[in-house]
Amino acid sequence: MKFEVNRDVFSEAVSFAVKLLPQRTTLPILSGVLIHAEGDRLTLSSFDYEVSAQTSIAAHVADEGTVLVSGRLLNDIASRLPNAPVSFSTEDSRITVTCGPAHFTLLSMPVEEYPTLPEVGAQTGVIPGDSFSEAVSQVAVAASRDDVTPVITGVQLEVGDNDLSLIATDRYRVAVRTIQWDSGRAGGDAAATPVNALVPARTLQEVGRTFGSATTVSVSISGNADRELIAFHADDKTVTSLLIKGNYPPVRRLFPETVNDHAVINTAELVEAVRRVSLVLEREAALRFSFSADGLTLEAIGSEQAQASETIDALLTGDDTVVSLKPAFLLDGLNAVRSEFVRISFTKTENPNKPGPVLITGQSSREEPAADGYRYLLQPNLLLR
């Protein structure tokens, strides 16, 4: 095999192919990137039996062929090559990479032992790349990082007739975002594919970042009960992932239909105040938030040596309210709000001394709620006393 390719294009393709490779694997061959040269195209692929990535780029191919090479090593080399065309050739089990004055010799891996990439099923729907990327960044942060309960380490995708909802929870908070979705089905035809897909959060985050600049992203959900698969495709790039098995908890029912009491605050001011006041907190401690007609007061009781408080403007509707929230979880929700103002709504419980979860949504102005379909429900700690 022999080809020449643009350095920047080759480096970006290798980087994409290795992003989802596992850091450690019991099968070294799964750490490889498969390079196939044919016609005037290179196809770079990676697969670890759970997640696959494949991309195609233009190249001057002198001799067609296929080779398997260590992905991490090739990525390190490609990202540091000088500004010159990249020449790539193979002879027996040796690979030669030349770029300007730089010259590398690598050992290939046995292609015949590499697994066959999964086949992508028929298209289920299409979503705008920018809104999909934004929705993933807003929601995936709320997914659990505890592998003890795999079902909540994923993001649940729920397909509607004209929209797609992304849902994530770690039991302490729930994030939901709904975006436009085109199923391509006319007249409300019944879907021939599953309408829900539970995707590993880490994989979905990489997909969101990769396809954020794409005009549209094609989504395919296929497979059977034993092996369900989701595929994302845009701009000569494809990512597939096995879906997480299990029943996702019915977290939608936790959201209240209506909430009367709420406060509207400048988002940036609240973020900065939370960051400042929480400096004195011990790890895992919560901030006390007191909402009244005079504004919002944040209080942190860190230790005998350090306390902090700050008062900022807030427009309160309803009764005075005091809640205690973990700052890291609160900041995740506030940073996901894409509007100048944020609304914090206070739900009730049967116990008047125990506040319910707070609901965080965007506000396009002090008076008008945002229409972006983002909601973040956060469970408060017990009130600090």
Side-chain angles (χ1 to χ4, degrees), residues 44-366:
L44 293 85
S45 310
S46 64
F47 184 38
D48 69 351
Y49 289 111
E50 293 187 4
V51 180
S52 78
Q54 186 174 81
T55 184
S56 177
I57 59 175
H60 300 288
V61 179
D63 295 317
E64 297 181 347
T66 304
V67 68
L68 183 65
V69 60
S70 169
R72 302 290 180 195
L73 178 57
L74 184 62
N75 186 49
D76 289 343
I77 292 172
S79 64
R80 291 172 173 80
L81 290 174
N83 189 15
V86 179
S87 296
F88 195 105
S89 61
T90 62
E91 183 175 351
D92 296 327
S93 62
R94 293 193 175 275
I95 301 168
T96 300
V97 181
T98 304
C99 182
H103 181 91
F104 296 87
T105 301
L106 312 174
L107 286 178
S108 64
M109 306 165 77
V111 173
E112 62 275 8
E113 296 180 16
Y114 200 69
T116 302
L117 267 69
E119 294 185 6
V120 176
Q123 178 177 288
T124 306
V126 177
I127 44 181
D130 54 353
S131 60
F132 173 64
S133 179
E134 181 180 73
V136 171
S137 68
Q138 289 175 305
V139 171
V141 69
S144 175
R145 295 167 179 81
D146 186 357
D147 291 334
V148 174
T149 312
V151 71
I152 59 173
T153 63
V155 176
Q156 174 88 334
L157 307 186
E158 296 183 352
V159 178
D161 291 336
N162 301 301
D163 56 37
L164 174 70
S165 294
L166 294 82
I167 307 171
T169 185
D170 60 3
R171 291 197 179 99
Y172 301 100
R173 65 263 181 82
V174 182
V176 176
R177 172 73 195 275
T178 301
I179 58 176
Q180 178 184 351
W181 168 268
D182 180 7
S183 66
R185 300 191 303 272
D189 294 340
T193 53
V195 294
N196 293 342
L198 185 53
V199 187
R202 174 180 173 270
T203 301
L204 196 64
Q205 285 174 309
E206 285 293 349
V207 170
R209 284 190 285 264
T210 299
F211 295 147
S213 59
T215 303
T216 58
V217 178
S218 170
V219 181
S220 303
I221 305 172
S222 59
N224 50 48
D226 294 328
R227 189 175 178 85
E228 291 185 327
L229 188 79
I230 189 167
F232 303 90
H233 175 78
D235 301 334
D236 293 321
K237 293 183 175 70
T238 301
V239 172
T240 72
S241 174
L242 286 181
L243 300 183
I244 299 173
K245 293 184 178 180
N247 296 320
Y248 202 71
V251 293
R252 278 186 178 273
R253 68 185 184 186
L254 300 176
F255 287 89
E257 293 186 7
T258 59
V259 184
N260 296 323
D261 295 357
H262 64 268
V264 176
I265 312 155
N266 180 280
T267 308
E269 289 182 7
L270 180 55
V271 167
E272 291 304 312
V274 171
R275 287 174 175 167
R276 277 192 294 269
V277 178
S278 62
L279 290 173
V280 302
L281 283 180
E282 301 287 345
R283 187 179 179 182
E284 299 298 323
L287 285 178
R288 179 188 178 105
F289 296 81
S290 300
F291 296 85
S292 69
D294 297 326
L296 166 61
T297 298
L298 297 78
E299 298 174 277
I301 304 174
S303 64
E304 293 182 358
Q305 289 77 29
Q307 293 86 36
S309 65
E310 184 171 345
T311 300
I312 60 175
D313 290 336
L315 180 62
L316 179 66
T317 299
D319 298 331
D320 291 0
T321 301
V322 178
V323 293
S324 213
L325 304 170
K326 288 189 176 182
F329 287 175
L330 176 61
L331 288 172
D332 283 342
L334 296 177
N335 289 329
V337 171
R338 303 293 192 259
S339 55
E340 182 180 0
F341 295 93
V342 61
R343 174 185 289 207
I344 298 180
S345 303
F346 312 108
T347 66
K348 304 293 186 180
T349 66
E350 296 179 357
N351 184 349
N353 295 318
K354 183 180 180 181
V358 297
L359 176 62
I360 296 174
T361 53
Q363 284 275 128
S364 54
S365 68
R366 286 188 180 274

